Amino acid sequence: MWRGLSLLAATEVGSAMKRSMFGAMIYALALLCLACAFGFLVAAGHDMLAQTYGDTRASLIFAAIFAAVGVVIMLVAAFIRARARNRRTAATTAMMVAPVMAPSVIRTFVRHPGMSAGVVAGIVALGAILGRQWGKES
């Protein structure tokens, strides 16, 4: 029975890998076609600008456009990276604070030893929930 289940699992994993590899190859082919199209677009644009402004000015115009696009992409990437880091920090802080605060809350509000474990579990769960909410908001 275990052998049959393991063979079934191996077959499923193999077929899933084949499907994902096929999908990745399709995306790679589409990306290659888009890169070629973009290259021809840039070449045609350069030719049009070269007829109007000359070769040097056309090259400088395209260099400035690509530099500006690159700077914008880098700024967006830095913003996204900083935002993701802050979200993890808030959630991690909430997860660390909840267990540390639990003993003082227990000593203050609970005098029965049997209820301590329930209060600790509740505080940890509350910290996890609040940490996830703070992480989503920031």
Side-chain angles (χ1 to χ4, degrees), residues 38-100:
F38 183 73
F40 280 109
L41 177 70
V42 169
H46 184 271
D47 289 345
M48 293 293 290
L49 285 177
Q51 288 176 356
T52 307
Y53 299 111
D55 286 336
T56 306
R57 284 188 181 155
S59 296
L60 289 173
I61 289 170
F62 268 94
I65 289 171
F66 283 121
V69 169
V71 167
V72 168
I73 290 171
M74 288 176 65
L75 289 174
V76 168
F79 175 74
I80 290 171
R81 189 175 194 177
R83 188 171 161 213
R85 184 178 12 203
N86 290 341
R87 184 180 320 144
R88 282 192 301 257
T89 304
T92 304
T93 303
M95 287 297 291
M96 291 295 193
V97 167
V100 171

Side-chain angles (χ1 to χ4, degrees), residues 15-29:
S15 63
M17 289 295 292
K18 286 179 186 175
R19 282 192 304 269
S20 66
M21 287 298 293
F22 183 71
M25 289 183 347
I26 296 293
Y27 279 119
L29 182 63

